Amino acid sequence: MDSAAGLAPFGHLAWGYHSRAELLSRAAEYIADGLRQNQYIAYAADRSHEQLRAELVAMPGIGQHLDSGRIEAWPTRDYYVYCPDTDVIDADGAVAKYLDAVDQATAKGYSVFRAVSDVTPAARTAEQRDALARLEHLVDRQMAELPFSALCAYDVDQLGAAADELICLHPFVSEGSVMFRIYADPDAELDLALAGEIDAASDELFDAALRRLWPLLRGNILRIGAKKLEFLGHKQLYAVEERAREHDRKVVRATNQPTITRLIEVLGLTHVRVDAAS
């Protein structure tokens, strides 16, 4: 995406930003979409409540809604649920809090609960990113079914390449950020969906995503949609085979791309097969 606008009524978007001005510009676009669709808005970042309200006031067309009860500002520390005495997000607790917010928003007559959150403070260490990856995936599954959407912002100047580990777990991403996405598909028959290009340059990132998501998936047969996958290298396909073999699972790729089918045949894979996509 080259803009955070146009994803109403839903849309789970990750944005890698380089400046506060860029973050505020994208937040304004995303919030404006929500207001036009009668959505309830939560805005969270690593600022005080007063600073966050001042930022909202400065956003064109948004400040006048602050006293209407439609927009709520949250300092990051108060917005998320954390494991006791740590700065590591409790993913399950955070999801439960989100679902309660969805219920409250719809009970008040709003169409959707929409969140804009700068997640940078919760993504600085590997332990934090492990927990955050779980949260992103669990939230993504909820967004496929419930009136709930979010813009997750990551400061790439602070996080560096580590930001990509979380950005790639979204169906929509900022232009120029990551080459591929792996996310929960709204199709109830699929466990995951892949999109974009996965080649040698993505080896470490793809492996990190598989390592984090694999334990979250249930069942002995995993269905992965690949209709939006533009390229998949043989080494990356074999990485899926190794992961499936390690956990004694079968992977079914739903795709109509003959190249992937041929690769599976040539590599002699035993735990990955192709099923024609509808």
Side-chain angles (χ1 to χ4, degrees), residues 35-232:
L35 293 173
R36 283 191 291 268
Q37 298 287 328
N38 187 38
Q39 298 178 2
Y40 183 81
I41 313 294
Y43 175 56
D46 194 18
R47 294 285 194 276
S48 69
H49 185 264
E50 292 72 24
Q51 288 173 318
L52 294 175
R53 283 186 60 88
E55 289 180 341
L56 288 167
V57 166
M59 293 179 186
I62 292 173
Q64 66 263 33
H65 296 282
L66 273 180
D67 295 327
S68 68
R70 295 182 62 185
I71 305 177
E72 193 169 2
W74 289 81
T76 302
R77 188 68 206 181
D78 299 329
Y79 181 65
Y80 288 108
V81 178
Y82 295 87
C83 297
D85 302 318
T86 75
D87 57 0
V88 177
I89 286 178
D90 175 352
D92 297 290
V95 170
K97 184 175 180 179
Y98 275 138
L99 297 183
D100 183 60
V102 172
D103 289 341
Q104 290 188 41
T106 53
K108 293 176 180 177
Y110 297 105
S111 60
V112 172
F113 171 66
R114 172 169 289 225
V116 177
S117 176
D118 182 4
V119 204
T120 305
R124 292 193 173 105
T125 69
E127 184 181 9
Q128 284 181 312
R129 293 192 295 276
D130 285 343
L132 194 49
R134 176 180 176 85
L135 174 61
E136 293 286 23
H137 177 72
L138 295 178
V139 161
D140 205 31
R141 290 208 168 278
Q142 296 296 337
M143 289 183 190
E145 302 175 1
L146 297 177
F148 177 20
S149 64
L151 186 160
C152 306
Y154 294 92
D155 186 336
V156 295
D157 290 337
Q158 283 193 41
L159 298 174
D164 294 346
E165 298 175 22
L166 290 313
I167 292 175
C168 75
L169 303 181
H170 296 71
F172 301 99
V173 300
S174 52
E175 188 175 34
S177 55
V178 292
M179 294 293 292
F180 75 90
R181 289 103 65 207
I182 180 168
Y183 54 91
D185 196 288
D187 186 337
E189 295 182 357
L190 298 176
D191 296 291
L192 288 174
L194 283 170
E197 300 180 5
I198 307 176
D199 56 20
S202 305
D203 266 348
E204 291 185 14
L205 184 60
F206 187 52
D207 185 67
L210 287 180
R211 175 178 58 80
R212 286 173 168 144
L213 294 182
W214 209 269
L216 305 180
L217 305 174
R218 299 291 178 260
N220 294 322
I221 299 178
L222 304 180
R223 292 185 58 83
I224 300 178
K227 289 185 290 184
K228 296 182 180 180
L229 189 62
E230 298 165 21
F231 178 82
L232 178 67

